[in-house]
Amino acid sequence: FFFSSRRRHTRSASVSWARRCVQETGVYLSQGKMHESHSHPPTAQTTTAVLQATIAGIKSIDDVKEFLKQHFFPLAEQVSVLRSKYEKQLLQNIEMKDKIVGMSKQMEELSDVIGKLKKKIEYLKIAGGSASLVTEEEKDEEDETWLFYCKKGVPLINVKQMLHFKGSVKTLEMDCGFWSEEYDMWNAFVLQMESLSMGTTKGKAKGSGDDKLNKEQTKKLAITYLKEACASEMLIFIKGFPQSSDFSRYKMAVLCIASLGEVMSECWKQLENTLPQTLGKVSIVIESEIDIPRLSLETEEASIVLSVEPLKEIKKQPIQK
């Protein structure tokens, strides 16, 4: 009897070697298609073996076409789909970045608007000054009015009497017609204070050499004098107030008066919180040829609205000793 193995002895053939590799790794080819065994997941070596086996079986141009159809074209299609998704994602990322930049700009603009609104509210609620956005309850809680106006030609002695000042009250007279910038007001204020010997800190707003103060130093010195004035009694009398038709001079005058009132309010609050028993009285009176019940100004930085009380409407009260 002759016994023979059913297995073909073609160990030297590349096809037989590839078949053995496929069988051992759990992956095999059948009719040009690749199948995976559920017991052994494919690896790089497995895939390489399959491709080598397939390539080894290519004998004609038809085999090449079949190989491309079964392996290359599906893979190329998947790569194309992935590339499209990737490019679409890039576009979405760019659009998202543009939206973020746009929202950041809107936030900056909104912050600027909020800042301007805060400044407007601060100007509207300068201590003692009544304004259109201040409620009646808030008016009652505020200090006495500090900003007044009188007709041109009213004697200073009458102004003092209507404000219930004593005749010996310290009085600063300033002409706003000479104010081309805020520094001019602070400089005039410092010079007046020094001439009245009200300041304990001496300085020279205008001078020569080392004695000359710059703008920042002049304002700081003026603030020091204002703090001292809040602990006593003082009348600030402003002459030469222009009409609104002279816009450039009117604008500068309103800006300076608002700045003076704002600084004076801060000095008053600081003294009120620390030494309330030492609080005095400070009033600003504007001499004008016409009635100015309100000072208003719209600028890019802020909106200013200040109500000005006429002296003739001040009710007389007994002088407190």
Side-chain angles (χ1 to χ4, degrees):
F1 295 94
F2 294 95
F3 297 92
S4 61
S5 174
R6 294 184 179 180
R7 184 174 180 179
R8 297 175 60 188
H9 298 282
T10 54
R11 296 182 183 274
S12 61
S14 60
V15 175
S16 177
W17 174 83
R19 186 185 296 113
R20 185 170 67 255
C21 291
V22 171
Q23 289 175 351
E24 291 175 356
T25 55
V27 181
Y28 62 92
L29 274 171
S30 176
Q31 296 180 355
K33 296 182 179 179
M34 184 175 68
H35 299 268
E36 296 183 2
S37 173
H38 295 287
S39 59
H40 301 283
T43 62
Q45 295 178 350
T46 303
T47 305
T48 302
V50 172
L51 291 176
Q52 288 178 347
T54 305
I55 294 172
I58 295 176
K59 303 297 183 181
S60 63
I61 191 64
D62 293 334
D63 294 338
V64 174
K65 292 179 180 180
E66 185 65 21
F67 171 79
L68 294 176
K69 180 180 178 182
Q70 294 294 332
H71 299 283
F72 179 76
F73 292 150
L75 183 60
E77 184 178 356
Q78 292 181 9
V79 171
S80 178
V81 172
L82 291 174
R83 184 185 297 276
S84 299
K85 291 182 178 180
Y86 174 73
E87 293 176 351
K88 184 178 180 181
Q89 188 65 42
L90 286 179
L91 292 176
Q92 291 178 350
N93 291 343
I94 294 174
E95 293 176 357
M96 183 61 67
K97 289 180 180 179
D98 293 340
K99 289 181 180 179
I100 293 174
V101 172
M103 293 178 66
S104 299
K105 292 181 179 179
Q106 291 179 359
M107 287 295 294
E108 292 177 358
E109 294 175 356
L110 183 60
S111 298
D112 293 339
V113 172
I114 293 175
K116 292 180 180 179
L117 288 175
K118 287 182 178 180
K119 289 183 179 180
K120 183 175 181 179
I121 293 174
E122 290 176 358
Y123 278 115
L124 291 175
K125 294 186 178 181
I126 291 177
S130 58
S132 58
L133 296 185
V134 181
T135 63
E136 294 299 327
E137 293 78 6
E138 290 173 332
K139 286 181 183 179
D140 295 337
E141 296 175 357
E142 294 289 342
D143 300 326
E144 293 183 358
T145 304
W146 54 269
L147 185 59
F148 306 89
Y149 76 91
C150 68
K151 289 295 184 67
K152 186 176 182 180
V154 177
L156 269 177
I157 185 64
N158 293 351
V159 173
K160 295 176 182 179
Q161 290 176 353
M162 284 186 286
L163 290 173
H164 311 299
F165 278 123
K166 297 179 181 179
S168 60
V169 65
K170 300 294 183 180
T171 304
L172 273 73
E173 296 186 52
M174 297 190 294
D175 192 338
C176 64
F178 295 101
W179 298 347
S180 59
E181 58 178 333
E182 187 177 334
Y183 164 74
D184 295 332
M185 178 194 66
W186 294 122
N187 181 72
F189 180 84
V190 169
L191 292 176
Q192 286 279 323
M193 291 291 288
E194 291 180 348
S195 65
L196 294 173
S197 301
M198 291 185 65
T200 58
T201 304
K202 297 299 179 181
K204 293 184 178 180
K206 286 186 178 179
S208 60
D210 297 335
D211 293 334
K212 186 176 181 180
L213 301 179
N214 57 33
K215 295 181 180 181
E216 183 178 358
Q217 293 171 333
T218 300
K219 185 175 182 180
K220 286 183 178 180
L221 186 58
I223 293 174
T224 301
Y225 289 161
L226 266 177
K227 290 180 180 179
E228 296 176 5
C230 288
S232 60
E233 289 191 345
M234 184 175 68
L235 170 63
I236 302 176
F237 193 74
I238 299 177
K239 301 182 295 183
F241 190 81
Q243 299 185 19
S244 58
S245 57
D246 189 354
F247 182 74
S248 59
R249 294 178 63 241
Y250 174 83
K251 174 183 176 181
M252 182 53 58
V254 173
L255 288 173
C256 290
I257 293 173
S259 179
L260 177 62
E262 184 178 15
V263 173
M264 187 177 70
S265 173
E266 290 298 325
C267 295
W268 187 274
K269 289 179 180 178
Q270 291 178 10
L271 190 61
E272 187 178 31
N273 294 331
T274 55
L275 297 171
Q277 68 276 9
T278 63
L279 284 172
K281 181 178 179 181
V282 181
S283 297
I284 299 176
V285 178
I286 302 174
E287 184 185 55
S288 174
E289 296 181 354
I290 60 174
D291 293 338
I292 47 172
R294 175 173 296 180
L295 299 180
S296 60
L297 180 66
E298 291 284 342
T299 66
E300 295 181 356
E301 294 78 16
S303 297
I304 301 174
V305 180
L306 295 174
S307 290
V308 189
E309 292 288 339
L311 283 180
K312 62 181 180 180
E313 294 182 6
I314 301 298
K315 296 181 180 181
K316 292 186 178 180
Q317 298 177 356
I319 300 177
Q320 297 180 358
K321 296 183 180 180

PDB file of all heavy atoms in Angstrom, residues 234-249:
ATOM      1  N   MET A 234     -15.451 128.628  52.204  1.00  0.00           N
ATOM      2  CA  MET A 234     -14.809 129.290  51.065  1.00  0.00           C
ATOM      3  C   MET A 234     -15.834 129.466  49.942  1.00  0.00           C
ATOM      4  O   MET A 234     -16.679 128.605  49.702  1.00  0.00           O
ATOM      5  CB  MET A 234     -13.621 128.475  50.550  1.00  0.00           C
ATOM      6  CG  MET A 234     -12.857 129.190  49.424  1.00  0.00           C
ATOM      7  SD  MET A 234     -11.376 128.281  48.937  1.00  0.00           S
ATOM      8  CE  MET A 234     -12.113 126.845  48.181  1.00  0.00           C
ATOM      9  N   LEU A 235     -15.739 130.599  49.269  1.00  0.00           N
ATOM     10  CA  LEU A 235     -16.571 130.909  48.118  1.00  0.00           C
ATOM     11  C   LEU A 235     -15.676 131.009  46.887  1.00  0.00           C
ATOM     12  O   LEU A 235     -14.696 131.760  46.887  1.00  0.00           O
ATOM     13  CB  LEU A 235     -17.321 132.227  48.327  1.00  0.00           C
ATOM     14  CG  LEU A 235     -18.051 132.797  47.099  1.00  0.00           C
ATOM     15  CD1 LEU A 235     -19.148 131.850  46.630  1.00  0.00           C
ATOM     16  CD2 LEU A 235     -18.621 134.174  47.407  1.00  0.00           C
ATOM     17  N   ILE A 236     -16.005 130.231  45.847  1.00  0.00           N
ATOM     18  CA  ILE A 236     -15.279 130.298  44.570  1.00  0.00           C
ATOM     19  C   ILE A 236     -16.174 131.020  43.575  1.00  0.00           C
ATOM     20  O   ILE A 236     -17.236 130.507  43.192  1.00  0.00           O
ATOM     21  CB  ILE A 236     -14.915 128.895  44.061  1.00  0.00           C
ATOM     22  CG1 ILE A 236     -14.064 128.151  45.105  1.00  0.00           C
ATOM     23  CG2 ILE A 236     -14.165 128.979  42.737  1.00  0.00           C
ATOM     24  CD1 ILE A 236     -13.740 126.713  44.731  1.00  0.00           C
ATOM     25  N   PHE A 237     -15.764 132.195  43.171  1.00  0.00           N
ATOM     26  CA  PHE A 237     -16.570 133.042  42.282  1.00  0.00           C
ATOM     27  C   PHE A 237     -15.939 133.031  40.894  1.00  0.00           C
ATOM     28  O   PHE A 237     -14.797 133.456  40.709  1.00  0.00           O
ATOM     29  CB  PHE A 237     -16.637 134.469  42.835  1.00  0.00           C
ATOM     30  CG  PHE A 237     -17.668 135.322  42.174  1.00  0.00           C
ATOM     31  CD1 PHE A 237     -19.022 135.148  42.427  1.00  0.00           C
ATOM     32  CD2 PHE A 237     -17.283 136.319  41.292  1.00  0.00           C
ATOM     33  CE1 PHE A 237     -19.974 135.945  41.812  1.00  0.00           C
ATOM     34  CE2 PHE A 237     -18.226 137.129  40.668  1.00  0.00           C
ATOM     35  CZ  PHE A 237     -19.578 136.941  40.930  1.00  0.00           C
ATOM     36  N   ILE A 238     -16.682 132.522  39.899  1.00  0.00           N
ATOM     37  CA  ILE A 238     -16.164 132.364  38.536  1.00  0.00           C
ATOM     38  C   ILE A 238     -16.812 133.404  37.631  1.00  0.00           C
ATOM     39  O   ILE A 238     -18.041 133.452  37.487  1.00  0.00           O
ATOM     40  CB  ILE A 238     -16.451 130.945  38.000  1.00  0.00           C
ATOM     41  CG1 ILE A 238     -15.750 129.907  38.889  1.00  0.00           C
ATOM     42  CG2 ILE A 238     -15.987 130.809  36.552  1.00  0.00           C
ATOM     43  CD1 ILE A 238     -16.039 128.472  38.484  1.00  0.00           C
ATOM     44  N   LYS A 239     -15.968 134.224  37.029  1.00  0.00           N
ATOM     45  CA  LYS A 239     -16.446 135.286  36.141  1.00  0.00           C
ATOM     46  C   LYS A 239     -16.147 134.911  34.683  1.00  0.00           C
ATOM     47  O   LYS A 239     -15.413 133.986  34.398  1.00  0.00           O
ATOM     48  CB  LYS A 239     -15.759 136.608  36.497  1.00  0.00           C
ATOM     49  CG  LYS A 239     -15.979 137.066  37.925  1.00  0.00           C
ATOM     50  CD  LYS A 239     -15.306 138.404  38.198  1.00  0.00           C
ATOM     51  CE  LYS A 239     -13.794 138.304  38.093  1.00  0.00           C
ATOM     52  NZ  LYS A 239     -13.127 139.600  38.418  1.00  0.00           N
ATOM     53  N   GLY A 240     -16.727 135.702  33.793  1.00  0.00           N
ATOM     54  CA  GLY A 240     -16.442 135.545  32.364  1.00  0.00           C
ATOM     55  C   GLY A 240     -16.988 134.282  31.749  1.00  0.00           C
ATOM     56  O   GLY A 240     -16.416 133.768  30.770  1.00  0.00           O
ATOM     57  N   PHE A 241     -18.102 133.762  32.273  1.00  0.00           N
ATOM     58  CA  PHE A 241     -18.648 132.521  31.710  1.00  0.00           C
ATOM     59  C   PHE A 241     -19.239 132.801  30.328  1.00  0.00           C
ATOM     60  O   PHE A 241     -20.100 133.684  30.165  1.00  0.00           O
ATOM     61  CB  PHE A 241     -19.720 131.935  32.625  1.00  0.00           C
ATOM     62  CG  PHE A 241     -20.157 130.562  32.232  1.00  0.00           C
ATOM     63  CD1 PHE A 241     -19.398 129.452  32.590  1.00  0.00           C
ATOM     64  CD2 PHE A 241     -21.299 130.371  31.484  1.00  0.00           C
ATOM     65  CE1 PHE A 241     -19.782 128.175  32.226  1.00  0.00           C
ATOM     66  CE2 PHE A 241     -21.694 129.103  31.113  1.00  0.00           C
ATOM     67  CZ  PHE A 241     -20.937 127.995  31.478  1.00  0.00           C
ATOM     68  N   PRO A 242     -18.807 132.064  29.293  1.00  0.00           N
ATOM     69  CA  PRO A 242     -19.263 132.346  27.921  1.00  0.00           C
ATOM     70  C   PRO A 242     -20.639 131.742  27.638  1.00  0.00           C
ATOM     71  O   PRO A 242     -21.099 130.825  28.335  1.00  0.00           O
ATOM     72  CB  PRO A 242     -18.194 131.663  27.061  1.00  0.00           C
ATOM     73  CG  PRO A 242     -17.745 130.509  27.905  1.00  0.00           C
ATOM     74  CD  PRO A 242     -17.811 130.977  29.335  1.00  0.00           C
ATOM     75  N   GLN A 243     -21.282 132.231  26.628  1.00  0.00           N
ATOM     76  CA  GLN A 243     -22.542 131.648  26.184  1.00  0.00           C
ATOM     77  C   GLN A 243     -22.275 130.397  25.356  1.00  0.00           C
ATOM     78  O   GLN A 243     -21.182 130.200  24.822  1.00  0.00           O
ATOM     79  CB  GLN A 243     -23.342 132.672  25.380  1.00  0.00           C
ATOM     80  CG  GLN A 243     -23.718 133.918  26.164  1.00  0.00           C
ATOM     81  CD  GLN A 243     -24.609 134.847  25.380  1.00  0.00           C
ATOM     82  OE1 GLN A 243     -25.244 134.453  24.400  1.00  0.00           O
ATOM     83  NE2 GLN A 243     -24.666 136.114  25.801  1.00  0.00           N
ATOM     84  N   SER A 244     -23.303 129.565  25.228  1.00  0.00           N
ATOM     85  CA  SER A 244     -23.134 128.299  24.499  1.00  0.00           C
ATOM     86  C   SER A 244     -22.834 128.513  23.028  1.00  0.00           C
ATOM     87  O   SER A 244     -22.328 127.605  22.356  1.00  0.00           O
ATOM     88  CB  SER A 244     -24.393 127.436  24.654  1.00  0.00           C
ATOM     89  OG  SER A 244     -25.540 128.136  24.180  1.00  0.00           O
ATOM     90  N   SER A 245     -23.156 129.690  22.498  1.00  0.00           N
ATOM     91  CA  SER A 245     -22.858 129.966  21.086  1.00  0.00           C
ATOM     92  C   SER A 245     -21.355 130.012  20.831  1.00  0.00           C
ATOM     93  O   SER A 245     -20.887 129.681  19.746  1.00  0.00           O
ATOM     94  CB  SER A 245     -23.506 131.285  20.655  1.00  0.00           C
ATOM     95  OG  SER A 245     -23.065 132.345  21.492  1.00  0.00           O
ATOM     96  N   ASP A 246     -20.603 130.407  21.839  1.00  0.00           N
ATOM     97  CA  ASP A 246     -19.131 130.384  21.755  1.00  0.00           C
ATOM     98  C   ASP A 246     -18.688 128.996  22.245  1.00  0.00           C
ATOM     99  O   ASP A 246     -18.208 128.838  23.372  1.00  0.00           O
ATOM    100  CB  ASP A 246     -18.537 131.495  22.615  1.00  0.00           C
ATOM    101  CG  ASP A 246     -17.033 131.660  22.389  1.00  0.00           C
ATOM    102  OD1 ASP A 246     -16.454 130.829  21.646  1.00  0.00           O
ATOM    103  OD2 ASP A 246     -16.447 132.592  22.966  1.00  0.00           O
ATOM    104  N   PHE A 247     -18.845 128.013  21.376  1.00  0.00           N
ATOM    105  CA  PHE A 247     -18.773 126.616  21.824  1.00  0.00           C
ATOM    106  C   PHE A 247     -17.415 126.244  22.407  1.00  0.00           C
ATOM    107  O   PHE A 247     -17.342 125.548  23.420  1.00  0.00           O
ATOM    108  CB  PHE A 247     -19.101 125.671  20.660  1.00  0.00           C
ATOM    109  CG  PHE A 247     -19.088 124.225  21.069  1.00  0.00           C
ATOM    110  CD1 PHE A 247     -20.108 123.691  21.834  1.00  0.00           C
ATOM    111  CD2 PHE A 247     -18.029 123.391  20.697  1.00  0.00           C
ATOM    112  CE1 PHE A 247     -20.091 122.359  22.223  1.00  0.00           C
ATOM    113  CE2 PHE A 247     -17.998 122.063  21.084  1.00  0.00           C
ATOM    114  CZ  PHE A 247     -19.042 121.548  21.845  1.00  0.00           C
ATOM    115  N   SER A 248     -16.324 126.660  21.787  1.00  0.00           N
ATOM    116  CA  SER A 248     -15.002 126.240  22.245  1.00  0.00           C
ATOM    117  C   SER A 248     -14.737 126.725  23.674  1.00  0.00           C
ATOM    118  O   SER A 248     -14.283 125.957  24.531  1.00  0.00           O
ATOM    119  CB  SER A 248     -13.912 126.749  21.296  1.00  0.00           C
ATOM    120  OG  SER A 248     -13.947 128.166  21.214  1.00  0.00           O
ATOM    121  N   ARG A 249     -15.038 127.998  23.952  1.00  0.00           N
ATOM    122  CA  ARG A 249     -14.834 128.530  25.298  1.00  0.00           C
ATOM    123  C   ARG A 249     -15.858 127.957  26.274  1.00  0.00           C
ATOM    124  O   ARG A 249     -15.551 127.679  27.440  1.00  0.00           O
ATOM    125  CB  ARG A 249     -14.908 130.059  25.273  1.00  0.00           C
ATOM    126  CG  ARG A 249     -13.764 130.702  24.494  1.00  0.00           C
ATOM    127  CD  ARG A 249     -13.893 132.217  24.439  1.00  0.00           C
ATOM    128  NE  ARG A 249     -13.813 132.811  25.770  1.00  0.00           N
ATOM    129  CZ  ARG A 249     -14.798 133.532  26.318  1.00  0.00           C
ATOM    130  NH1 ARG A 249     -15.927 133.738  25.645  1.00  0.00           N
ATOM    131  NH2 ARG A 249     -14.663 134.041  27.514  1.00  0.00           N
TER     132      ARG A 249
END
